[in-house]
């Protein structure tokens, strides 16, 4: 298995290969010849046109079979964009590409550097080399969406007003597609790149119980915490989870199919930086539920936490016993700035421990950060929790693949902790993790964080020296 960096390439096995990007993303495929230009509409695979000869899109996975591509095709480019229109990729979880060959064997992985304001990323390309095929990692971003991608592949792009159906003048290079408009590709008769009006609406579920929000915001105001706002995606996830608990007559953070509450939140379109929850049975009204949440130190801390900006809440009665099951979800949305602040906090707290022990502080390392972030995202994407990845990759392999030249490498991982302070405190209370933090020969640190999976949060510290 190969850990790729931007520009790296790897030979592909014969037969069909799959490229998967888990998370709140859309994939698109552009098929071209040696000229790098499309031949017609059939050369695009995306949400509204999920298949062409030799390439098929299904959910978060693209399958490409070079033997079945149209005559003259020599290159297949895969692009990734946010599932929610107009969202900068920097606000979403890390992009982690997994490439599998026939039989499901993992061939390569690629975690590109985190985008900022870009709304589309050319992720990878499959290209013919002699009689075989190779894959190259790209990581080229576009701030003007799929329209910019289409132009670079030889397509005329126009804005179409969704409400009126009026074709506007061609979009000028570098200008974003207007909100509420859809980018249409014109290579002959043109399909539309998943217009905003045709996207499935965000899940809404039933409204939150009357009276809940004023009660919790009053409780927050009493300790000087800002108010939270109801979020439809969190409410939908809370409703589904409460209904599942009521159906099984049990309190649990997992559904009957093994899916965690956190996976349901992410799948519903809410990528988070911070998350908390209350899972309760018994209260018959919002007032009783909030009273319970404020009755214990830990549950009260969640209600009062300044980390959260949104909340979703729902309840369902068990048809057999009549018991009422409640789920409240507290969260703050993911952002690139938020991730950077949390990584800086982990570094600051780590260095405070080193300074107290008479050691020199660690310096931030961008290459180690790329590797650490990739490992946190990979643990969620492939559902494991270990220093050794399912294909045998170790911390020093990940550091080297990211371009690091440090001779000494160490790694701490953790899952489930909700804040930088909590995770550093946990590491310091574990002898092995503490030894890494206080190792004199380490000079640099990279920090990774990802939300989702079975535990909700996954943290990585990658040390170098």
């Amino acid at each position: 298995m190969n850990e790729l960096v931007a520009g790296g390439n790897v030979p592909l096995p014969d037969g069909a290969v799959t490229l998967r990007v888990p998370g709140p993303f859309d994939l698109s495929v552009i098929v071209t010849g040696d000229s790098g230009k499309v031949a017609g509409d059939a050369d695009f695979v995306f949400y509204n046109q999920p298949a062409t000869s030799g390439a098929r899109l299904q959910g978060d996975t693209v399958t490409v079979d070079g033997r079945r591509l149209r005559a003259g095709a020599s290159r297949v480019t895969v692009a990734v964009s946010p599932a929610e229109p107009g969202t900068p990729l920097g606000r979403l979880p890390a992009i982690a590409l997994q490439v599998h060959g026939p039989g499901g064997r993992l061939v390569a992985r690629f975690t590109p550097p985190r985008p900022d304001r870009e709304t589309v990323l050319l992720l990878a390309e499959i290209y013919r080399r002699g009689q075989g095929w190779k894959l190259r990692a790209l990581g080229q971003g576009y701030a003007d969406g799929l329209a910019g991608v289409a132009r670079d592949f030889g397509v005329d792009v126009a804005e179409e007003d969704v409400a009126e159906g009026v074709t506007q003048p061609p979009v000028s290079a570098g200008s974003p597609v207007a909100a509420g408009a859809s980018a249409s590709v014109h290579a002959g008769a043109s399909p539309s790149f998943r217009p905003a009006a045709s996207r499935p609406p965000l899940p809404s579920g039933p409204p939150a119980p009357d009276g809940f929000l004023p009660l919790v915001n009053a409780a927050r105001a009493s300790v000087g915490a800002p108010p939270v706002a109801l979020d439809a995606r969190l409410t939908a996830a809370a409703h589904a989870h409460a209904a599942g608990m009521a159906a099984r007559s049990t309190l649990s953070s997992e559904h009957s199919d093994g899916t965690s509450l956190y996976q349901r939140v992410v799948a519903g379109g809410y990528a988070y930086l911070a998350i908390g929850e209350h899972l309760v049975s018994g209260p018959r009204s919002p007032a009783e539920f909030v009273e319970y949440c404020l009755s214990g130190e830990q549950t009260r801390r969640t209600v009062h936490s300044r980390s959260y900006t949104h909340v979703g809440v729902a309840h369902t009665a068990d048809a057999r016993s009549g018991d009422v099951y409640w789920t409240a979800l507290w969260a703050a949305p993911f952002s690139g700035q938020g991730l950077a602040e949390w990584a800086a906090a982990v570094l600051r707290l780590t260095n405070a421990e080193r300074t107290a022990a008479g050691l020199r502080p660690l310096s931030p390392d961008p290459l180690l950060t790329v590797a650490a972030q990739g490992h946190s995202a990979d643990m969620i994407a492939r559902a494991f929790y270990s220093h050794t990845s399912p294909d045998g990759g170790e911390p020093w392999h990940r550091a080297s693949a990211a371009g690091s030249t440090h001779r000494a490498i160490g790694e701490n991982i953790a899952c489930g902790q909700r804040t930088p302070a909590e995770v550093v405190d946990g590491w310091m209370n574990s002898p092995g993790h503490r030894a890494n933090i206080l190792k004199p020969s380490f000079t640099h640190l990279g920090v990774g964080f990802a939300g989702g999976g079975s535990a909700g949060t996954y943290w990585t510290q990658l040390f170098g020296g």
Side-chain angles (χ1 to χ4, degrees):
M1 197 284 301
N2 295 270
E3 291 274 4
L4 297 178
V5 296
N9 62 77
V10 62
L12 293 175
D14 293 334
V17 296
T18 61
L19 299 90
R20 178 173 181 254
V21 180
F25 305 107
D26 282 345
L27 293 179
S28 305
V29 173
I30 307 102
V31 179
T32 60
D34 291 338
S35 68
K37 306 299 183 182
V38 298
D41 294 342
D43 281 348
F44 287 88
V45 175
F46 56 102
Y47 178 80
N48 284 339
Q49 183 172 284
T52 191
S53 298
R56 176 176 294 276
L57 171 64
Q58 186 172 13
D60 61 5
T61 300
V62 169
T63 301
V64 177
D65 189 341
R67 302 166 301 180
R68 301 181 181 277
L69 293 171
R70 64 162 174 82
S74 59
R75 193 175 301 269
V76 177
T77 304
V78 178
V80 61
S81 56
E84 181 62 21
T87 304
L89 289 169
R91 296 181 183 175
L92 300 179
I95 298 168
L97 170 68
Q98 306 162 27
V99 183
H100 292 83
R105 182 175 68 87
L106 185 64
V107 175
R109 290 186 302 176
F110 174 46
T111 302
R114 176 169 292 280
D116 184 14
R117 298 182 179 180
E118 293 88 346
T119 53
V120 176
L121 196 70
L122 295 187
L123 193 55
E125 61 180 5
I126 294 173
Y127 61 100
R128 187 187 299 275
R129 180 55 56 92
Q131 298 300 311
W133 294 84
K134 299 185 75 174
L135 178 133
R136 178 183 290 116
L138 297 177
Q140 177 185 349
Y142 289 75
D144 51 349
L146 288 170
V149 175
R151 278 191 296 270
D152 279 2
F153 284 87
V155 179
D156 293 329
V157 181
E159 288 183 347
E160 295 178 358
D161 188 287
V162 174
E164 302 296 335
V166 178
T167 301
Q168 303 294 330
V171 180
S172 60
S175 65
V177 177
S182 60
S184 297
V185 298
H186 296 279
S190 61
S192 295
F193 273 120
R194 195 177 181 185
S198 71
R199 290 179 178 269
L202 289 174
S204 59
D210 289 340
F212 171 80
L213 192 63
L215 289 169
V216 299
N217 279 335
R220 291 173 65 84
S222 70
V223 295
V228 290
L230 288 171
D231 184 90
R233 296 162 295 184
L234 295 177
T235 297
H239 174 70
H241 193 75
M245 292 192 299
R248 292 185 293 152
S249 302
T250 185
L251 292 172
S252 173
S253 63
E254 288 191 348
H255 293 260
S256 57
D257 62 0
T259 302
S260 75
L261 175 60
Y262 319 109
Q263 289 169 313
R264 183 173 289 275
V265 170
V266 173
Y270 193 106
Y272 59 82
L273 186 71
I275 193 156
E277 71 282 334
H278 289 110
L279 308 178
V280 179
S281 66
R284 311 295 296 186
S285 69
E288 289 183 13
F289 176 60
V290 174
E291 182 181 5
Y292 170 84
C293 294
L294 294 171
S295 64
E297 180 181 355
Q298 181 61 45
T299 55
R300 182 170 58 251
R301 188 180 302 133
T302 299
V303 176
H304 289 164
S305 175
R306 294 174 175 269
S307 298
Y308 305 130
T309 58
H310 294 121
V311 68
V313 63
H315 60 83
T316 302
D318 183 338
R320 292 157 295 187
S321 67
D323 291 340
V324 179
Y325 286 79
W326 293 77
T327 299
L329 288 166
W330 309 77
F334 182 93
S335 69
Q337 180 181 349
L339 178 63
E341 290 173 353
W342 277 36
V346 170
L347 176 63
R348 184 176 64 254
L349 292 165
T350 298
N351 280 337
E353 298 291 349
R354 289 177 64 88
T355 300
L359 300 172
R360 295 184 62 181
L362 303 173
S363 298
D365 188 304
L367 297 179
L368 293 178
T369 296
V370 168
Q373 185 63 33
H375 190 55
S376 288
D378 189 38
M379 287 191 287
I380 291 176
R382 293 199 281 173
F384 74 98
Y385 177 68
S386 174
H387 295 290
T388 304
S389 60
D391 49 35
E394 300 287 357
W396 44 92
H397 297 143
R398 293 188 283 274
S400 177
S404 173
T405 58
H406 289 293
R407 297 175 63 88
I409 295 293
E411 184 179 80
N412 286 344
I413 59 175
C415 64
Q417 294 82 3
R418 303 306 171 89
T419 65
E422 186 178 339
V423 74
V424 173
D425 184 64
W427 280 326
M428 287 300 295
N429 286 313
S430 167
H433 299 97
R434 179 186 178 92
N436 272 340
I437 288 175
L438 300 181
K439 189 169 183 176
S441 61
F442 286 148
T443 58
H444 291 78
L445 180 68
V447 178
F449 167 85
S454 60
T457 59
Y458 289 77
W459 305 78
T460 301
Q461 281 184 315
L462 195 59
F463 301 85

